[in-house]
Amino acid sequence: MEVYEMEVKEIRIGDLCPATFINQKIDKIKESVRKGLAVNALSGGVDSSAVTVMGYIALGNRLKTYFIDTGLMREGEPQQVATYFEIMGIPIEIIDAQGRFFDALKGLTDPEEKREAITRTFYKDVFADLIRQSGARYLLQGTNYTDVEETVAGVKRQHNILEQLGINTEEQFGYRVIEPLVQLRKPAIREVAKALALPKAIYNRPPFPGPGLAIIVKGEVTPERVRIVRKATKIVEEVLSDTGAFQYLAILHEDKFTGVRQGKRDYGFQIEIRCWESADAKTGLPTRPSYDILDLLAEKIPTEVPGVVSVTYNITKKPPSTIEAE
Amino acid sequence: MEVYEMEVKEIRIGDLCPATFINQKIDKIKESVRKGLAVNALSGGVDSSAVTVMGYIALGNRLKTYFIDTGLMREGEPQQVATYFEIMGIPIEIIDAQGRFFDALKGLTDPEEKREAITRTFYKDVFADLIRQSGARYLLQGTNYTDVEETVAGVKRQHNILEQLGINTEEQFGYRVIEPLVQLRKPAIREVAKALALPKAIYNRPPFPGPGLAIIVKGEVTPERVRIVRKATKIVEEVLSDTGAFQYLAILHEDKFTGVRQGKRDYGFQIEIRCWESADAKTGLPTRPSYDILDLLAEKIPTEVPGVVSVTYNITKKPPSTIEAE
């Protein structure tokens, strides 16, 4: 039986009782997987974290949770996430797959091709191997309602919307996908995460692109370019974390700009900062930070991130912009 | 004899008496050109406009002033400038050289190569032809002190710094360059322009890159990309002209971004806006417009300029940024 209908119906936050929802979904996971084994990939975001806890409650040690280090994570992220789940007593395994992702991304500049390469590497290469080794036939995923909606509308391809696009994961990849959060948008998922007793650092964590830093690097994704955007991301998150914004990110552009250092020409990079006010990522307004905060960002980034000579702030709404860079 | 020393000495605005300066420079132009003929290229900026008036006072009809339409001008600019000078009774001739500039720029993406192509096309092709036809041996130019300084420092190649770089224009191009404003920075040149009774629209006009819209198009300069940045420039100038800023510009990036229109993916362009507080372009601070003004820009540009889905505002100082895009 299907865990969700192909026609996904949203549960609005006002109609959500987190405890009831969690119990129902845990029962459905049990019902689907029965005596089998399931796996899931934890990114540390609120969606995959909630799914991990629900899956672990439903299946105990019959759930195997992998944290796949794609090389596209924020600074210190793999260690941080491992620590949180260790404290909660949920076993997770870190898989170093950096080389495979950078190989797959080599030479690609189109954002759709990059997402596609990451999806394929994630599911078909790395994860399919892990599932084969584990013997599991079920994959738990944190797909949410906004992901589905945007994929159906053709705005962008989310990395985890295989079945909605008519891709039969069982046939193609050897496993079945279960998406317990597919009827909820982000704020509702935060309520679920809170009810699951996840740490605040997780349920209040601003969303971050699923394919990680690859999406906020324009042009080719190389280890060096990822290092640059990772440093800029750290600064942006430190400076903007107190603003209560829905999401904030640093984007490394491919365009280069003439700068000047010690009176000499320095042809370098530009970082674009986006900071959003949004309820659900469906629409968004750029926040209006004080110019002192923008000054601080424009001072710190070129000073602390090698090669950056220019910093801009996004002022466009979604639509016509999107939240993430691409 | 040289009209200026190779070691150019700045005249600071506090030490400048515009009337005395103008008389001295007019005498020097007379002394250099004697009974000969001179030409100059008028862009409509404050520098070349001041030089045109001084040259006309010195030489009368022995000065031939060309307005070269490079195809890289702002909207309506050739007509507007022609009208101003017609009213002042100074004859100018408009030369349509658009095809030659776009041919020279074809395939070029590096800003130094673009500047170089524009310099060569301007001086060696278009202007050298005009000089040959005119029989003139002297070229009057509006080079200012900041141009010299930045070229010497190696920050960027200004389009009119041939002699300072040891390029013998007489030998290579068949004419001699006279630069009456080379000791002055922009604010001092505005005083000179005011004393020459130039219209306020000229002496208060914000500086604009010499090589025109080519410099604010990242990547290849095509007629289509110039049309986009020209429309964005018009909006930025309309919205920001009352702010009293030193300079403001719109930059068309080469990077493309995912946008969304009518619920569908739209892969489009980004425009970066820069607006500067500066005395002399040597250093600069981004101005701090109200967010309502930024909202207006972010609303108008994607609506009115085809293909644009994203607008950013520069928040970096010079240094480490530069004023113009590149």
Side-chain angles (χ1 to χ4, degrees):
Chain A
M1 106 170 239
E2 281 297 301
V3 173
Y4 58 83
E5 309 297 318
M6 285 305 275
E7 285 288 331
V8 179
K9 198 173 168 318
E10 182 185 357
I11 301 170
R12 289 174 192 277
I13 191 163
D15 301 331
L16 174 75
C17 167
T20 309
F21 176 87
I22 290 167
N23 286 331
Q24 280 178 359
K25 293 301 168 187
I26 288 173
D27 286 347
K28 286 218 170 188
I29 295 169
K30 286 181 178 169
E31 209 179 305
S32 302
V33 179
R34 280 161 297 176
K35 298 284 169 206
L37 300 175
V39 295
N40 80 311
L42 171 66
S43 72
V46 63
D47 303 350
S48 69
S49 295
V51 165
T52 300
V53 179
M54 286 159 72
Y56 189 73
I57 296 171
L59 307 172
N61 287 330
R62 286 184 296 115
L63 175 71
K64 178 91 183 156
T65 298
Y66 297 106
F67 183 95
I68 296 175
D69 185 352
T70 58
L72 307 169
M73 305 280 166
R74 283 176 284 190
E75 195 167 298
E77 203 157 33
Q79 297 69 33
Q80 206 175 49
V81 174
T83 304
Y84 285 139
F85 281 82
E86 203 177 302
I87 291 167
M88 289 187 278
I90 299 175
I92 75 165
E93 191 177 331
I94 297 181
I95 306 294
D96 180 354
Q98 301 194 22
R100 288 163 88 173
F101 281 90
F102 283 119
D103 283 350
L105 287 163
K106 203 165 275 173
L108 301 184
T109 56
D110 180 88
E112 290 294 293
E113 288 176 9
K114 290 195 273 183
R115 279 192 186 266
E116 178 70 22
I118 291 167
T119 303
R120 293 277 143 187
T121 306
F122 198 95
Y123 291 106
K124 205 164 176 186
D125 301 347
V126 182
F127 212 36
D129 280 2
L130 293 171
I131 295 169
R132 263 191 295 278
Q133 290 163 22
S134 72
R137 297 293 302 277
Y138 295 89
L139 166 60
L140 267 57
Q141 276 216 137
T143 319
N144 66 41
Y145 193 76
T146 307
D147 296 337
V148 177
E149 203 170 45
E150 297 205 325
T151 299
V152 171
V155 177
K156 63 183 178 185
R157 172 186 293 265
Q158 283 291 345
H159 60 113
N160 48 5
I161 310 288
L162 303 167
E163 296 211 347
Q164 287 88 329
L165 289 170
I167 297 171
N168 185 324
T169 51
E170 193 162 10
E171 219 169 71
Q172 290 186 22
F173 304 118
Y175 51 80
R176 199 92 192 246
V177 178
I178 300 172
E179 293 171 323
L181 303 176
V182 77
Q183 292 172 279
L184 307 183
R185 294 185 193 271
K186 212 59 129 182
I189 295 173
R190 287 212 186 88
E191 293 306 308
V192 168
K194 210 187 286 184
L196 287 166
L198 276 161
K200 196 173 175 186
I202 284 179
Y203 67 75
N204 264 349
R205 189 156 98 151
F208 196 69
L213 300 169
I215 286 308
I216 54 177
V217 168
K218 303 293 297 178
E220 194 183 358
V221 181
T222 63
E224 197 215 326
R225 292 175 64 71
V226 167
R227 267 195 296 275
I228 292 170
V229 85
R230 180 181 285 131
K231 281 194 175 142
T233 298
K234 187 166 185 247
I235 295 168
V236 165
E237 294 193 340
E238 277 165 8
V239 173
L240 296 176
S241 68
D242 289 340
T243 60
F246 174 76
Q247 185 167 354
Y248 29 82
L249 60 159
I251 300 156
L252 174 62
H253 285 204
E254 194 173 14
D255 285 327
K256 294 189 79 178
F257 291 83
T258 302
V260 51
R261 286 198 207 259
Q262 278 99 44
K264 295 276 171 219
R265 181 176 191 267
D266 181 11
Y267 200 47
F269 301 111
Q270 180 173 89
I271 291 286
E272 175 188 345
I273 298 166
R274 296 190 178 189
C275 185
W276 296 100
E277 198 181 303
S278 174
D280 54 15
K282 208 179 159 184
T283 61
L285 291 175
T287 63
R288 298 177 161 204
S290 79
Y291 278 108
D292 288 340
I293 286 183
L294 294 182
D295 260 6
L296 179 63
L297 288 164
E299 186 73 35
K300 277 176 89 77
I301 294 172
T303 308
E304 298 175 18
V305 186
V308 175
V309 298
S310 173
V311 182
T312 63
Y313 185 68
N314 169 62
I315 58 172
T316 329
K317 299 181 181 114
K318 172 181 181 179
S321 179
T322 52
I323 298 282
E324 293 163 8
E326 313 224 312
Chain B
M1 99 164 244
E2 282 297 299
V3 173
Y4 59 82
E5 308 298 316
M6 286 303 277
E7 285 287 330
V8 179
K9 198 172 167 321
E10 182 185 357
I11 301 171
R12 289 177 190 278
I13 192 163
D15 301 330
L16 174 75
C17 167
T20 310
F21 176 87
I22 290 167
N23 285 332
Q24 281 176 0
K25 292 301 167 187
I26 287 174
D27 287 347
K28 286 219 170 186
I29 295 170
K30 286 181 179 168
E31 207 179 307
S32 302
V33 180
R34 279 160 298 179
K35 298 284 170 210
L37 300 174
V39 294
N40 80 313
L42 171 67
S43 72
V46 62
D47 303 350
S48 69
S49 295
V51 165
T52 300
V53 178
M54 286 160 72
Y56 189 72
I57 295 171
L59 306 173
N61 287 330
R62 287 185 296 115
L63 176 71
K64 179 91 183 154
T65 297
Y66 297 107
F67 183 94
I68 296 175
D69 186 352
T70 58
L72 307 169
M73 305 280 167
R74 283 177 283 190
E75 195 167 297
E77 203 157 29
Q79 297 69 33
Q80 207 176 50
V81 174
T83 304
Y84 285 139
F85 282 82
E86 203 177 303
I87 291 167
M88 288 187 280
I90 299 175
I92 75 165
E93 190 178 329
I94 298 181
I95 306 293
D96 181 354
Q98 301 194 23
R100 289 163 88 174
F101 282 90
F102 282 119
D103 283 350
L105 287 163
K106 204 165 274 172
L108 301 185
T109 56
D110 180 88
E112 290 294 293
E113 287 176 11
K114 291 196 272 182
R115 279 193 186 266
E116 179 70 22
I118 291 168
T119 303
R120 293 278 143 187
T121 306
F122 199 96
Y123 291 105
K124 204 164 176 185
D125 300 347
V126 182
F127 213 36
D129 280 2
L130 293 171
I131 295 169
R132 262 191 295 278
Q133 291 163 23
S134 71
R137 296 291 302 277
Y138 295 89
L139 166 60
L140 266 57
Q141 277 218 133
T143 320
N144 67 41
Y145 193 76
T146 307
D147 296 337
V148 176
E149 204 170 46
E150 296 205 326
T151 299
V152 171
V155 176
K156 62 183 178 185
R157 172 185 294 266
Q158 284 290 346
H159 58 113
N160 48 4
I161 310 288
L162 302 168
E163 296 211 349
Q164 286 88 329
L165 289 170
I167 297 171
N168 185 323
T169 51
E170 193 161 11
E171 219 169 71
Q172 290 187 21
F173 304 120
Y175 51 80
R176 199 94 189 246
V177 179
I178 299 172
E179 293 171 323
L181 303 177
V182 77
Q183 292 171 278
L184 307 182
R185 292 185 193 271
K186 211 61 132 184
I189 295 173
R190 287 212 186 89
E191 293 306 309
V192 167
K194 210 187 286 185
L196 287 166
L198 276 160
K200 195 173 175 185
I202 284 179
Y203 68 75
N204 264 348
R205 190 154 98 150
F208 196 69
L213 300 168
I215 285 308
I216 54 176
V217 168
K218 302 294 297 177
E220 193 183 359
V221 181
T222 64
E224 198 215 326
R225 292 174 65 71
V226 167
R227 267 195 297 275
I228 293 170
V229 84
R230 180 180 284 130
K231 282 195 175 142
T233 297
K234 186 165 186 251
I235 295 168
V236 165
E237 294 192 341
E238 277 165 7
V239 173
L240 296 176
S241 67
D242 288 340
T243 60
F246 173 77
Q247 185 168 355
Y248 30 82
L249 61 160
I251 300 156
L252 174 62
H253 285 203
E254 194 173 14
D255 285 326
K256 294 189 80 178
F257 291 82
T258 302
V260 51
R261 287 200 207 259
Q262 278 99 44
K264 294 276 171 221
R265 181 178 191 267
D266 181 10
Y267 200 47
F269 301 112
Q270 180 173 89
I271 291 285
E272 175 189 345
I273 298 165
R274 295 189 179 190
C275 184
W276 296 101
E277 198 181 302
S278 174
D280 53 15
K282 209 180 158 184
T283 61
L285 291 176
T287 62
R288 298 176 161 205
S290 78
Y291 277 108
D292 288 340
I293 287 182
L294 295 182
D295 260 8
L296 179 63
L297 288 164
E299 186 72 36
K300 277 176 89 75
I301 294 173
T303 308
E304 299 175 19
V305 186
V308 175
V309 298
S310 173
V311 182
T312 63
Y313 185 69
N314 168 61
I315 58 172
T316 329
K317 299 180 181 114
K318 173 180 180 179
S321 180
T322 53
I323 298 283
E324 292 161 8
E326 312 225 310

